[in-house]
Amino acid sequence: MNVVKSLIALGLLVLLSQGIQASARDCIANLTNNSLQDTFSYSLHADDVDRDFGRDYLAEAIYTIRILIDREGCKRDAINFGQGPHGRSHSRCSKIIRNQEHTRVCYIETNLGYFFLTKDLLDNINITYSRWD
């Protein structure tokens, strides 16, 4: 009886895994104009990010990407911020020029591809998405 339960559980895990992979493929197509482009740029207004993250720029960037993928019709489980192309993702935010807040750039790796986020002086958040090869 335990063998039957184990096989059923394994089968359910395989089906769930395939559903998540299909969801990720659909999301990539949504983000890349049906895969016609490898890189695509988006812009959101800072008012769309309705939470204050203080100095946690990485959390703010991830939250902003979640808003973007939701608007592009992606399912929440389509994106994994902990997984990059070679295992664990490597994401960070830093200023290009010291003491110049408007030069802050965030680089975020996900299972879908990588994102660069910047803010301009007019309260826009500019997001560039590139899919993995």
Side-chain angles (χ1 to χ4, degrees):
M1 192 65 170
N2 286 336
V3 173
V4 173
K5 288 181 182 178
S6 297
L7 288 174
I8 291 172
L10 180 63
L12 289 173
L13 284 174
V14 168
L15 288 174
L16 180 62
S17 170
Q18 289 174 348
I20 290 172
Q21 289 173 356
S23 179
R25 281 191 303 270
D26 292 344
C27 188
I28 291 170
N30 292 354
L31 291 169
T32 59
N33 193 18
N34 288 321
S35 301
L36 295 175
Q37 296 174 269
D38 295 329
T39 300
F40 211 84
S41 295
Y42 299 89
S43 186
L44 298 175
H45 195 272
D47 288 345
D48 295 334
V49 181
D50 56 352
R51 292 177 56 188
D52 182 19
F53 290 91
R55 299 178 107 186
D56 192 350
Y57 304 109
L58 191 57
E60 181 181 36
I62 289 170
Y63 184 77
T64 303
I65 292 168
R66 286 207 180 275
I67 292 170
L68 171 69
I69 65 166
D70 182 56
R71 287 187 179 179
E72 293 301 312
C74 297
K75 295 181 180 177
R76 184 168 178 83
D77 66 351
I79 192 164
N80 183 339
F81 289 96
Q83 179 185 345
H86 305 293
R88 188 170 178 258
S89 66
H90 302 282
S91 302
R92 66 181 298 170
C93 298
S94 60
K95 287 186 257 182
I96 295 173
I97 300 172
R98 196 168 18 124
N99 299 324
Q100 299 291 324
E101 189 60 37
H102 64 279
T103 67
R104 184 175 308 283
V105 177
C106 292
Y107 169 76
I108 311 293
E109 288 184 353
T110 72
N111 60 315
L112 303 177
Y114 58 95
F115 297 82
F116 284 102
L117 283 83
T118 61
K119 289 184 178 180
D120 63 23
L121 298 175
L122 299 173
D123 292 330
N124 293 309
I125 303 170
N126 302 302
I127 305 166
T128 302
Y129 164 75
S130 295
R131 69 174 181 85
W132 299 118
D133 283 340

Short mmCIF file of all heavy atoms in Angstrom, two decimals, residues 36-76:
data_model
loop_
_atom_site.label_atom_id
_atom_site.label_comp_id
_atom_site.label_asym_id
_atom_site.label_seq_id
_atom_site.Cartn_x
_atom_site.Cartn_y
_atom_site.Cartn_z
N LEU A 36 9.50 37.28 -29.71
CA LEU A 36 10.05 37.97 -30.87
C LEU A 36 11.29 38.77 -30.52
O LEU A 36 12.08 39.12 -31.39
CB LEU A 36 9.00 38.89 -31.50
CG LEU A 36 7.78 38.19 -32.10
CD1 LEU A 36 6.76 39.22 -32.57
CD2 LEU A 36 8.21 37.28 -33.25
N GLN A 37 11.45 39.09 -29.24
CA GLN A 37 12.60 39.86 -28.78
C GLN A 37 13.23 39.15 -27.59
O GLN A 37 12.54 38.53 -26.79
CB GLN A 37 12.17 41.27 -28.37
CG GLN A 37 11.60 42.07 -29.53
CD GLN A 37 11.05 43.38 -29.04
OE1 GLN A 37 9.87 43.46 -28.72
NE2 GLN A 37 11.88 44.39 -29.00
N ASP A 38 14.55 39.24 -27.47
CA ASP A 38 15.25 38.64 -26.34
C ASP A 38 15.28 39.58 -25.14
O ASP A 38 15.41 39.13 -24.00
CB ASP A 38 16.69 38.29 -26.72
CG ASP A 38 16.73 37.20 -27.78
OD1 ASP A 38 15.83 36.34 -27.79
OD2 ASP A 38 17.66 37.22 -28.60
N THR A 39 15.18 40.88 -25.40
CA THR A 39 15.23 41.90 -24.35
C THR A 39 14.08 42.86 -24.57
O THR A 39 13.78 43.23 -25.70
CB THR A 39 16.58 42.65 -24.40
OG1 THR A 39 17.64 41.73 -24.21
CG2 THR A 39 16.66 43.73 -23.35
N PHE A 40 13.46 43.27 -23.46
CA PHE A 40 12.33 44.17 -23.56
C PHE A 40 12.39 45.14 -22.39
O PHE A 40 12.76 44.75 -21.29
CB PHE A 40 11.01 43.37 -23.52
CG PHE A 40 9.91 43.99 -24.31
CD1 PHE A 40 9.81 43.77 -25.67
CD2 PHE A 40 8.97 44.80 -23.70
CE1 PHE A 40 8.78 44.33 -26.41
CE2 PHE A 40 7.95 45.38 -24.42
CZ PHE A 40 7.85 45.14 -25.78
N SER A 41 12.03 46.39 -22.62
CA SER A 41 12.06 47.41 -21.57
C SER A 41 10.65 47.82 -21.18
O SER A 41 9.76 47.92 -22.03
CB SER A 41 12.84 48.64 -22.03
OG SER A 41 14.19 48.29 -22.22
N TYR A 42 10.49 48.07 -19.89
CA TYR A 42 9.21 48.48 -19.33
C TYR A 42 9.45 49.68 -18.43
O TYR A 42 10.56 49.91 -17.97
CB TYR A 42 8.60 47.35 -18.48
CG TYR A 42 8.32 46.09 -19.25
CD1 TYR A 42 9.29 45.10 -19.37
CD2 TYR A 42 7.09 45.90 -19.86
CE1 TYR A 42 9.03 43.95 -20.08
CE2 TYR A 42 6.83 44.74 -20.57
CZ TYR A 42 7.80 43.77 -20.68
OH TYR A 42 7.54 42.63 -21.39
N SER A 43 8.37 50.41 -18.15
CA SER A 43 8.45 51.52 -17.23
C SER A 43 7.20 51.52 -16.35
O SER A 43 6.09 51.40 -16.86
CB SER A 43 8.58 52.84 -18.00
OG SER A 43 8.80 53.90 -17.12
N LEU A 44 7.40 51.63 -15.05
CA LEU A 44 6.30 51.75 -14.09
C LEU A 44 6.48 53.05 -13.33
O LEU A 44 7.61 53.51 -13.15
CB LEU A 44 6.31 50.59 -13.09
CG LEU A 44 6.13 49.18 -13.61
CD1 LEU A 44 6.30 48.18 -12.47
CD2 LEU A 44 4.77 49.02 -14.24
N HIS A 45 5.41 53.63 -12.89
CA HIS A 45 5.51 54.83 -12.07
C HIS A 45 5.75 54.40 -10.62
O HIS A 45 5.23 53.39 -10.17
CB HIS A 45 4.24 55.68 -12.17
CG HIS A 45 4.43 57.06 -11.65
ND1 HIS A 45 4.24 57.38 -10.33
CD2 HIS A 45 4.85 58.19 -12.26
CE1 HIS A 45 4.51 58.65 -10.15
NE2 HIS A 45 4.88 59.17 -11.30
N ALA A 46 6.52 55.17 -9.90
CA ALA A 46 6.85 54.83 -8.51
C ALA A 46 5.60 54.73 -7.64
O ALA A 46 5.60 53.97 -6.65
CB ALA A 46 7.82 55.86 -7.94
N ASP A 47 4.53 55.42 -8.00
CA ASP A 47 3.28 55.31 -7.23
C ASP A 47 2.68 53.90 -7.33
O ASP A 47 1.88 53.52 -6.48
CB ASP A 47 2.25 56.33 -7.72
CG ASP A 47 2.62 57.75 -7.32
OD1 ASP A 47 3.49 57.91 -6.43
OD2 ASP A 47 2.06 58.70 -7.90
N ASP A 48 3.05 53.15 -8.36
CA ASP A 48 2.55 51.78 -8.51
C ASP A 48 3.13 50.84 -7.46
O ASP A 48 2.57 49.80 -7.17
CB ASP A 48 2.86 51.23 -9.90
CG ASP A 48 2.11 52.00 -10.99
OD1 ASP A 48 1.05 52.57 -10.70
OD2 ASP A 48 2.61 52.02 -12.12
N VAL A 49 4.29 51.21 -6.93
CA VAL A 49 4.91 50.44 -5.85
C VAL A 49 4.41 51.05 -4.56
O VAL A 49 4.94 52.03 -4.06
CB VAL A 49 6.46 50.49 -5.94
CG1 VAL A 49 7.09 49.67 -4.84
CG2 VAL A 49 6.92 50.00 -7.30
N ASP A 50 3.36 50.46 -4.04
CA ASP A 50 2.61 51.06 -2.94
C ASP A 50 3.12 50.70 -1.56
O ASP A 50 2.38 50.80 -0.58
CB ASP A 50 1.13 50.70 -3.07
CG ASP A 50 0.92 49.19 -3.12
OD1 ASP A 50 1.90 48.45 -3.20
OD2 ASP A 50 -0.25 48.77 -3.09
N ARG A 51 4.36 50.28 -1.45
CA ARG A 51 4.94 49.93 -0.15
C ARG A 51 6.25 50.68 0.03
O ARG A 51 6.94 50.97 -0.94
CB ARG A 51 5.20 48.43 -0.06
CG ARG A 51 3.92 47.63 -0.04
CD ARG A 51 4.16 46.14 -0.02
NE ARG A 51 5.00 45.73 1.08
CZ ARG A 51 5.47 44.51 1.22
NH1 ARG A 51 5.17 43.59 0.34
NH2 ARG A 51 6.23 44.18 2.23
N ASP A 52 6.58 50.95 1.26
CA ASP A 52 7.85 51.61 1.57
C ASP A 52 8.83 50.55 2.07
O ASP A 52 8.59 49.90 3.09
CB ASP A 52 7.65 52.69 2.63
CG ASP A 52 8.93 53.43 2.95
OD1 ASP A 52 9.88 53.38 2.13
OD2 ASP A 52 8.99 54.06 4.02
N PHE A 53 9.92 50.38 1.36
CA PHE A 53 10.92 49.39 1.72
C PHE A 53 12.13 50.01 2.41
O PHE A 53 13.10 49.31 2.70
CB PHE A 53 11.38 48.63 0.47
CG PHE A 53 10.31 47.73 -0.08
CD1 PHE A 53 9.42 48.18 -1.02
CD2 PHE A 53 10.21 46.43 0.38
CE1 PHE A 53 8.43 47.35 -1.52
CE2 PHE A 53 9.22 45.59 -0.11
CZ PHE A 53 8.33 46.05 -1.06
N GLY A 54 12.08 51.30 2.65
CA GLY A 54 13.21 51.96 3.30
C GLY A 54 14.47 51.81 2.46
O GLY A 54 14.48 52.14 1.29
N ARG A 55 15.52 51.25 3.06
CA ARG A 55 16.79 51.08 2.35
C ARG A 55 16.98 49.65 1.82
O ARG A 55 18.06 49.29 1.39
CB ARG A 55 17.93 51.44 3.28
CG ARG A 55 17.84 52.88 3.74
CD ARG A 55 18.93 53.21 4.68
NE ARG A 55 19.87 54.05 3.95
CZ ARG A 55 21.02 54.46 4.41
NH1 ARG A 55 21.41 54.07 5.60
NH2 ARG A 55 21.79 55.23 3.71
N ASP A 56 15.93 48.86 1.83
CA ASP A 56 16.00 47.50 1.29
C ASP A 56 15.68 47.55 -0.21
O ASP A 56 14.58 47.23 -0.66
CB ASP A 56 15.05 46.56 2.03
CG ASP A 56 15.31 45.10 1.71
OD1 ASP A 56 16.10 44.80 0.79
OD2 ASP A 56 14.72 44.24 2.39
N TYR A 57 16.66 48.00 -0.98
CA TYR A 57 16.48 48.22 -2.41
C TYR A 57 16.22 46.93 -3.17
O TYR A 57 15.46 46.91 -4.13
CB TYR A 57 17.69 48.95 -2.98
CG TYR A 57 17.98 50.23 -2.25
CD1 TYR A 57 19.09 50.35 -1.42
CD2 TYR A 57 17.11 51.31 -2.36
CE1 TYR A 57 19.34 51.53 -0.73
CE2 TYR A 57 17.35 52.50 -1.67
CZ TYR A 57 18.47 52.59 -0.86
OH TYR A 57 18.70 53.76 -0.17
N LEU A 58 16.82 45.84 -2.73
CA LEU A 58 16.62 44.55 -3.38
C LEU A 58 15.17 44.07 -3.21
O LEU A 58 14.55 43.62 -4.16
CB LEU A 58 17.61 43.53 -2.83
CG LEU A 58 17.71 42.21 -3.58
CD1 LEU A 58 18.08 42.42 -5.04
CD2 LEU A 58 18.74 41.31 -2.91
N ALA A 59 14.62 44.20 -2.01
CA ALA A 59 13.23 43.81 -1.78
C ALA A 59 12.29 44.67 -2.62
O ALA A 59 11.30 44.16 -3.18
CB ALA A 59 12.88 43.94 -0.30
N GLU A 60 12.58 45.95 -2.72
CA GLU A 60 11.77 46.85 -3.53
C GLU A 60 11.83 46.44 -5.00
O GLU A 60 10.82 46.43 -5.71
CB GLU A 60 12.23 48.29 -3.37
CG GLU A 60 11.41 49.28 -4.17
CD GLU A 60 11.90 50.71 -4.01
OE1 GLU A 60 13.12 50.92 -3.89
OE2 GLU A 60 11.05 51.61 -4.01
N ALA A 61 13.02 46.08 -5.49
CA ALA A 61 13.18 45.66 -6.88
C ALA A 61 12.39 44.38 -7.16
O ALA A 61 11.70 44.27 -8.18
CB ALA A 61 14.65 45.47 -7.20
N ILE A 62 12.47 43.42 -6.26
CA ILE A 62 11.73 42.16 -6.43
C ILE A 62 10.23 42.41 -6.42
O ILE A 62 9.49 41.88 -7.26
CB ILE A 62 12.17 41.15 -5.36
CG1 ILE A 62 13.60 40.67 -5.65
CG2 ILE A 62 11.20 39.98 -5.28
CD1 ILE A 62 14.22 39.85 -4.55
N TYR A 63 9.77 43.25 -5.52
CA TYR A 63 8.35 43.60 -5.46
C TYR A 63 7.90 44.28 -6.75
O TYR A 63 6.84 43.98 -7.28
CB TYR A 63 8.10 44.50 -4.25
CG TYR A 63 6.66 44.86 -4.02
CD1 TYR A 63 5.79 43.95 -3.45
CD2 TYR A 63 6.18 46.12 -4.35
CE1 TYR A 63 4.46 44.28 -3.22
CE2 TYR A 63 4.86 46.46 -4.13
CZ TYR A 63 4.00 45.54 -3.56
OH TYR A 63 2.69 45.87 -3.35
N THR A 64 8.73 45.15 -7.28
CA THR A 64 8.42 45.85 -8.53
C THR A 64 8.33 44.86 -9.69
O THR A 64 7.43 44.96 -10.54
CB THR A 64 9.47 46.93 -8.82
OG1 THR A 64 9.53 47.83 -7.70
CG2 THR A 64 9.15 47.70 -10.08
N ILE A 65 9.23 43.91 -9.73
CA ILE A 65 9.18 42.89 -10.79
C ILE A 65 7.91 42.06 -10.65
O ILE A 65 7.27 41.71 -11.65
CB ILE A 65 10.45 42.00 -10.75
CG1 ILE A 65 11.67 42.83 -11.15
CG2 ILE A 65 10.29 40.78 -11.66
CD1 ILE A 65 12.99 42.15 -10.89
N ARG A 66 7.52 41.75 -9.43
CA ARG A 66 6.26 41.01 -9.23
C ARG A 66 5.06 41.80 -9.78
O ARG A 66 4.14 41.23 -10.37
CB ARG A 66 6.05 40.68 -7.76
CG ARG A 66 6.94 39.57 -7.27
CD ARG A 66 6.31 38.85 -6.10
NE ARG A 66 7.16 37.80 -5.63
CZ ARG A 66 7.19 36.57 -6.14
NH1 ARG A 66 6.43 36.27 -7.16
NH2 ARG A 66 7.99 35.65 -5.64
N ILE A 67 5.05 43.12 -9.58
CA ILE A 67 3.98 43.95 -10.14
C ILE A 67 4.01 43.87 -11.66
O ILE A 67 2.97 43.69 -12.31
CB ILE A 67 4.13 45.41 -9.67
CG1 ILE A 67 3.85 45.53 -8.18
CG2 ILE A 67 3.19 46.34 -10.46
CD1 ILE A 67 4.20 46.88 -7.58
N LEU A 68 5.20 43.96 -12.24
CA LEU A 68 5.34 43.90 -13.70
C LEU A 68 4.84 42.57 -14.25
O LEU A 68 4.05 42.55 -15.19
CB LEU A 68 6.80 44.11 -14.11
CG LEU A 68 7.10 43.86 -15.59
CD1 LEU A 68 6.45 44.92 -16.46
CD2 LEU A 68 8.59 43.79 -15.84
N ILE A 69 5.30 41.45 -13.69
CA ILE A 69 4.89 40.17 -14.27
C ILE A 69 3.40 39.92 -14.09
O ILE A 69 2.78 39.29 -14.94
CB ILE A 69 5.74 38.99 -13.75
CG1 ILE A 69 5.54 38.74 -12.27
CG2 ILE A 69 7.21 39.18 -14.08
CD1 ILE A 69 6.07 37.41 -11.82
N ASP A 70 2.83 40.45 -13.01
CA ASP A 70 1.39 40.33 -12.83
C ASP A 70 0.66 41.11 -13.93
O ASP A 70 -0.30 40.62 -14.52
CB ASP A 70 0.99 40.85 -11.44
CG ASP A 70 -0.49 40.71 -11.17
OD1 ASP A 70 -1.00 39.59 -11.29
OD2 ASP A 70 -1.13 41.74 -10.86
N ARG A 71 1.12 42.30 -14.23
CA ARG A 71 0.50 43.11 -15.28
C ARG A 71 0.66 42.48 -16.66
O ARG A 71 -0.14 42.71 -17.55
CB ARG A 71 1.11 44.51 -15.30
CG ARG A 71 0.66 45.33 -14.14
CD ARG A 71 1.13 46.74 -14.26
NE ARG A 71 0.63 47.50 -13.13
CZ ARG A 71 0.89 48.76 -12.94
NH1 ARG A 71 1.65 49.43 -13.80
NH2 ARG A 71 0.41 49.39 -11.89
N GLU A 72 1.74 41.71 -16.83
CA GLU A 72 1.98 41.06 -18.12
C GLU A 72 1.28 39.71 -18.24
O GLU A 72 1.48 38.98 -19.20
CB GLU A 72 3.49 40.91 -18.36
CG GLU A 72 4.21 42.22 -18.55
CD GLU A 72 3.67 43.02 -19.73
OE1 GLU A 72 3.51 42.43 -20.82
OE2 GLU A 72 3.40 44.22 -19.57
N GLY A 73 0.47 39.36 -17.24
CA GLY A 73 -0.34 38.16 -17.32
C GLY A 73 0.35 36.89 -16.87
O GLY A 73 -0.08 35.79 -17.21
N CYS A 74 1.42 37.02 -16.10
CA CYS A 74 2.15 35.85 -15.60
C CYS A 74 1.55 35.39 -14.28
O CYS A 74 1.08 36.20 -13.48
CB CYS A 74 3.62 36.20 -15.38
SG CYS A 74 4.50 36.66 -16.87
N LYS A 75 1.61 34.09 -14.06
CA LYS A 75 1.18 33.53 -12.78
C LYS A 75 2.27 33.78 -11.75
O LYS A 75 3.45 33.84 -12.08
CB LYS A 75 0.91 32.05 -12.91
CG LYS A 75 -0.26 31.74 -13.82
CD LYS A 75 -0.49 30.26 -13.89
CE LYS A 75 -1.66 29.96 -14.80
NZ LYS A 75 -1.87 28.51 -14.95
N ARG A 76 1.88 33.88 -10.50
CA ARG A 76 2.82 34.15 -9.42
C ARG A 76 3.90 33.07 -9.29
O ARG A 76 5.05 33.36 -9.02
CB ARG A 76 2.08 34.31 -8.10
CG ARG A 76 2.97 34.69 -6.94
CD ARG A 76 2.15 35.12 -5.73
NE ARG A 76 2.98 35.45 -4.62
CZ ARG A 76 3.58 36.61 -4.42
NH1 ARG A 76 3.44 37.57 -5.30
NH2 ARG A 76 4.32 36.83 -3.36
#
